[in-house]
Amino acid sequence: MPDRLVHTFAALSDPTRRAILARLTLREMNVKELAEPFPITAPSFTKHLKVLERAGLITRSREAQRRPCRLRAAPLREAAEWIEKYRRFWDVSMKRLDDYLATLDEQE
């Protein structure tokens, strides 16, 4: 799982790739329509798709002339589960800070 997390977070580190994933939450799209709103060259867009595909976040297939892309959410779920462990830590830390600040208020 750690190696997959590396690929997932690396893929998510780029705003263009995050926007591509957001578009794919709406529906499956072919490469051409998926690329429409992005002001980048076709080769650059293809590189973004390859990074997402390598991370397992999308699948691409070929149906005659069409090349549909689909979102694969499993790696996102794994990343969310990993982050969730730290959210609990932050919640406990924030609770301790709240308690400490409350004692300071009482002392004033």
Side-chain angles (χ1 to χ4, degrees), residues 87-101:
R87 187 187 66 79
R88 287 185 215 119
F89 168 77
W90 294 322
D91 287 346
V92 169
S93 297
M94 292 306 290
K95 172 71 172 117
R96 279 187 278 170
L97 179 59
D98 286 343
D99 292 346
Y100 176 71
L101 293 174

Side-chain angles (χ1 to χ4, degrees), residues 11-75:
L12 294 174
S13 70
D14 185 274
T16 299
R17 291 191 289 266
R18 291 192 305 269
I20 291 168
L21 293 176
R23 286 180 51 79
L24 288 174
T25 63
L26 304 173
R27 63 184 171 82
E28 171 186 300
M29 292 183 202
N30 67 45
V31 173
K32 185 178 178 181
E33 74 179 310
L34 187 57
E36 284 173 1
F38 299 99
I40 58 177
T41 64
S44 292
F45 191 78
T46 300
K47 285 181 183 179
H48 284 296
L49 293 180
K50 286 180 181 180
V51 170
L52 291 169
E53 196 171 26
R54 197 174 322 118
L57 292 165
I58 66 167
T59 59
R60 292 191 294 171
S61 58
R62 181 174 278 167
E63 299 169 2
Q65 297 295 79
R66 211 168 159 265
R67 289 181 173 70
C69 296
R70 292 177 188 90
L71 177 67
R72 283 194 65 243

